[in-house]
Amino acid sequence: MKKYQKEIELLRQYYRQTYEHVKNHSWCEVFCREKMQHSLQVIGAGNHIMKHEAVFQNRSPEFTRCAVLAYLLHDIGRFPEIMEIYDYEKAGNVYQKHQKLLDHGERGAELLSKIPEYNDPRIIIPIRHHGHMIERFYADADYQALDETLRRETEEIIFLARDADKIANFYLMTSPRAWKKYHDLLFRSPNESHLHGSISPVVEKYFSNFQVLDHKDISSLADDFFGFISWIFDLNYQTSLEFTKRHNIVDGLVAAVRTFNHEYELQEKLANYAKMYIKSVNLNHQRGTKA
């Protein structure tokens, strides 16, 4: 990645500035370190997908640059988000998971759109929507205003950025070493009912329909983890799906759930939906039909 050292250094600058701002807040410190590490892991994940997917072979240097920068810089907006969480709690408030002080995708897109060399819709739009439900991407007025070629390229790039983000997170959450290091990020909760709550009934509906769990339907930490597993249904490239199979992502995440939730039969039922999907779906044959 020598060609992109300038952008990696830009990430590091945001990281250092943020870390200095939040360094007396242990949770924000961990969050900040994790997001820098995650950004570097997403680079590896994105490179892996590009290497193995035919759609990224023999493309123009301009397209390839936009694709790489979209996943390399996808989380640059996390750093102002972490500073805002710190300031919010310093003012005496309690930040809760899924609370939106700012949208890190939108903030990242806003930051980069002000830098001429990054103000390309193939970079800005994927960063804006990499963490949203995909419907928001398709409804974006900037995306809809593009010509047919740029629309297709932007779609290919956002699929890449979203997949790289997901499989890097899968690796983080199923790696024992990383799990121990970042455990408190996932288990920080404002109340016991969230930490030890049951799996919501609506979760099975999502899984049986192979759909990503919407944040609005998450009520417990167990729901959160099955929300992570449901990301599998939103993968766009077969390389990404093969990654989940090769690294036993479903079993790894279910093992984490079992440390705090004892609905073992339901866990297994939900896990089997995900495994069925991984086994039966060929995304190379479905590309262009996902929405």
Side-chain angles (χ1 to χ4, degrees):
M1 293 296 289
K2 290 182 179 179
K3 184 176 180 180
Y4 299 100
Q5 285 303 309
K6 177 181 176 181
E7 287 74 28
I8 293 173
E9 179 55 28
L10 179 64
L11 277 177
R12 293 191 188 280
Q13 288 174 5
Y14 271 89
Y15 162 72
R16 289 191 291 264
Q17 178 185 6
T18 302
Y19 193 84
E20 183 65 24
H21 187 80
V22 306
K23 64 182 180 181
N24 64 344
H25 188 297
S26 60
W27 187 81
C28 285
E29 283 184 22
V30 173
F31 196 7
C32 186
R33 287 197 302 269
E34 187 275 327
K35 284 306 164 191
M36 188 64 226
Q37 180 178 343
H38 168 70
S39 293
L40 297 176
Q41 289 177 334
V42 169
I43 295 171
N47 292 347
H48 176 73
I49 296 168
M50 290 190 77
K51 179 180 178 181
H52 290 92
E53 287 291 328
V55 69
F56 296 110
Q57 308 310 310
N58 303 313
R59 302 299 292 267
S60 71
E62 180 187 18
F63 171 85
T64 299
R65 175 181 178 273
C66 288
V68 172
L69 292 182
Y71 60 76
L72 191 159
L73 296 170
H74 81 289
D75 258 358
I76 196 167
R78 281 291 190 187
F79 297 110
E81 177 192 30
I82 293 166
M83 285 197 283
E84 192 151 329
I85 292 170
Y86 171 85
D87 292 341
Y88 184 76
E89 293 211 333
K90 188 177 180 181
N93 305 298
V94 178
Y95 174 76
Q96 300 184 22
K97 188 172 174 59
H98 300 311
Q99 184 177 351
K100 285 289 186 184
L101 298 181
L102 62 84
D103 184 309
H104 75 277
E106 292 182 356
R107 178 58 64 87
E110 178 188 357
L111 291 171
L112 294 171
S113 69
K114 296 175 181 176
I115 305 175
E117 62 193 292
Y118 305 133
N119 191 22
D120 186 301
R122 293 168 293 181
I123 299 171
I124 299 302
I125 298 173
I127 288 175
R128 181 184 298 150
H129 295 296
H130 75 270
H132 296 159
M133 301 296 277
I134 196 65
E135 291 80 6
R136 285 186 63 181
F137 162 68
Y138 286 114
D140 187 298
D142 292 339
Y143 167 75
Q144 293 181 347
L146 300 176
D147 64 35
E148 184 177 350
T149 298
L150 279 177
R151 277 194 186 191
R152 175 177 51 79
E153 291 185 350
T154 303
E155 184 179 55
E156 290 165 347
I157 290 171
I158 194 172
F159 286 171
L160 170 64
R162 288 166 70 93
D163 277 23
D165 188 21
K166 288 179 174 66
I167 68 174
N169 273 312
F170 283 151
Y171 181 80
L172 169 73
M173 290 184 284
T174 56
S175 164
R177 182 177 179 182
W179 172 252
K180 183 177 180 181
K181 190 173 182 181
Y182 296 118
H183 175 281
D184 290 346
L185 275 181
L186 297 171
F187 281 80
R188 188 183 199 236
S189 179
N191 56 63
E192 286 295 312
S193 64
H194 177 80
L195 281 173
H196 301 293
S198 299
I199 299 169
S200 300
V202 72
V203 174
E204 185 173 354
K205 181 179 179 182
Y206 281 100
F207 272 69
S208 64
N209 288 296
F210 302 147
Q211 293 177 330
V212 179
L213 186 58
D214 196 317
H215 282 165
K216 68 180 175 57
D217 289 319
I218 289 175
S219 302
S220 67
L221 187 61
D223 290 351
D224 258 327
F225 272 80
F226 278 99
F228 300 146
I229 295 173
S230 78
W231 290 349
I232 288 168
F233 307 137
D234 191 48
L235 294 175
N236 297 279
Y237 294 111
Q238 190 65 26
T239 300
S240 310
L241 208 58
E242 292 298 328
F243 176 94
T244 69
K245 185 189 302 183
R246 186 168 63 254
H247 292 279
N248 298 315
I249 295 301
V250 176
D251 288 337
L253 287 170
V254 170
V257 175
R258 287 181 172 172
T259 65
F260 59 87
N261 176 278
H262 304 299
E263 298 170 279
Y264 301 135
E265 186 175 339
L266 179 54
Q267 292 167 15
E268 192 66 22
K269 185 177 184 180
L270 296 172
N272 283 337
Y273 284 120
K275 291 177 182 179
M276 182 192 314
Y277 182 84
I278 292 168
K279 184 177 180 180
S280 63
V281 170
N282 187 329
L283 295 177
N284 289 330
H285 292 164
Q286 294 191 192
R287 185 149 318 116
T289 66
K290 293 177 72 68

